Amino acid sequence: MPKLVWLNGSIVKADQAVVSVYDHGLLYGDGVFEGIRTYRGRIFKLATHLRRLEESACALRLELPYDREALSAATREIVEANDCGDGYVRLCVTRGRGTLGLNPFLCKEASTFIIADNITLYPDDLYRDGLSVITSSIIRNHPQALSPRIKSMNYLNNILAKIEAIDAGVLEAIMFNHQGNVAECTGDNLFIVRERAGAPVIYTPPLHAGILEGVTMNVVLDLAREAGIEVVRTDLTRHDLYTADEMFLTGTAAEIIPVTTVDGRTIGAGRPGAVTARLISAFRDLIAQNAPED
Ligand code: PMP
């Protein structure tokens, strides 16, 4: 059965779900989006994603045409229409149809569409064996330019880093910020683990490093604290990456994926570490228990 898409209040077939070539989402990347997982039909962290969408829209002075309740109902409607038990939702709001000039306020009405489909970011064996990554020469957007806190439709910065990774024969790249500290990967947040005074400590960059505040990142930080593992948010350098005992990435599509080499340096013992395995297991338990929607 062809997929259905929620488009500006109607449900249409995917091949009929089209936006104008005058839409500023297409012409200028002027729009915001969320990527959301569904587990057994439950829309994981839906409320949190909608809050972030509102924050992204606020930062861009983009008026969302639907409130949180309406977007929540629309997401549920399209997930059910596509029978999307374990799947992936892409909720997008573009600035809408305008003129060929930049002025966003000449776009009369934002365009909203919700796709409910599947996504596989990395092959299964990498979750068992770990991912190889490089560090990218492309830095993450300067926070005083397009803030990485905004989940906008302009991903060119990250796409350039992704191309660098693919050219180097790996699937992911770590991006630094304008100060030379670690920011995040092209579509995932980054964590390292180091042993300190006999106990593992999880380190991850602070929001002011210029990163997206990942929904999965916050879930994982909560799980780590519940497991009694210390978490420190601090600036990290390339040296910290190379000498980490463990490393893993988090994201809605990726969930939690271990990293075992960075720029050809082996991380820890060259296989996913104990803390990473423990968090993956805690994450799976959370999903299996109730996959909370808030
Ligand atoms: N950083 C970037 C740049 C992302 O695009 C994403 C989402 N793919 C993440 C981090 C992870 O965020 P979340 O856990 O909310 O999906």
Side-chain angles (χ1 to χ4, degrees), residues 225-236:
R225 290 183 189 114
E226 279 165 28
I229 306 167
E230 190 186 348
V231 174
V232 177
R233 303 205 68 164
T234 187
D235 286 335
L236 298 172

Side-chain angles (χ1 to χ4, degrees), residues 8 15 19 50 57 62 109 137 158 177 204 208-209 212 221 224 244 247 288:
N8 297 325
D15 59 0
V19 295
L50 292 178
L62 169 58
E109 206 181 343
S137 67
N158 304 41
N177 65 16
T204 195
H208 68 245
L212 183 74
L221 289 175
M247 185 181 298

Side-chain angles (χ1 to χ4, degrees), residues 35 49 52 140 151 155 158 184-189 212-217 250-253:
H49 281 287
R52 187 171 66 183
R140 195 69 178 87
K151 198 161 170 63
Y155 257 60
N158 304 41
E184 59 182 339
C185 288
T186 65
D188 297 320
N189 291 112
L212 183 74
E213 183 174 8
V215 172
T216 323
M217 173 189 91
T250 67
T252 295

Side-chain angles (χ1 to χ4, degrees), residues 91-253:
L91 195 172
C92 304
V93 183
T94 72
R95 186 77 68 176
R97 197 185 174 126
T99 67
L100 290 179
L102 280 176
N103 189 344
F105 305 119
L106 296 179
C107 302
K108 292 273 178 308
E109 206 181 343
S111 184
T112 308
F113 54 90
I114 312 173
I115 305 166
D117 206 323
N118 293 300
I119 194 165
T120 305
L121 217 56
Y122 307 114
D124 275 350
D125 56 329
L126 295 182
Y127 286 84
R128 192 192 52 229
D129 302 336
L131 190 64
S132 290
V133 304
I134 57 157
T135 56
S136 177
S137 67
I138 308 287
I139 63 161
R140 195 69 178 87
N141 284 327
H142 195 295
Q144 303 290 359
L146 177 63
S147 169
R149 297 287 299 278
I150 303 171
K151 198 161 170 63
S152 86
M153 288 185 145
N154 190 326
Y155 257 60
L156 285 176
N157 174 231
N158 304 41
I159 287 168
L160 289 176
K162 186 83 172 179
I163 288 171
E164 217 180 350
I166 294 164
D167 282 348
V170 298
L171 293 177
E172 195 43 275
I174 300 171
M175 303 176 79
F176 292 87
N177 65 16
H178 61 288
Q179 292 167 322
N181 294 315
V182 175
E184 59 182 339
C185 288
T186 65
D188 297 320
N189 291 112
L190 179 141
F191 297 73
I192 63 171
V193 182
R194 283 195 80 123
E195 185 125 330
R196 209 176 64 186
V201 178
I202 295 174
Y203 297 90
T204 195
L207 294 180
H208 68 245
I211 61 172
L212 183 74
E213 183 174 8
V215 172
T216 323
M217 173 189 91
N218 283 337
V219 170
V220 166
L221 289 175
D222 286 346
L223 291 173
R225 290 183 189 114
E226 279 165 28
I229 306 167
E230 190 186 348
V231 174
V232 177
R233 303 205 68 164
T234 187
D235 286 335
L236 298 172
T237 63
R238 180 181 264 108
H239 186 76
D240 294 320
L241 300 176
Y242 291 166
T243 57
D245 295 325
E246 297 182 35
M247 185 181 298
F248 61 90
L249 313 180
T250 67
T252 295

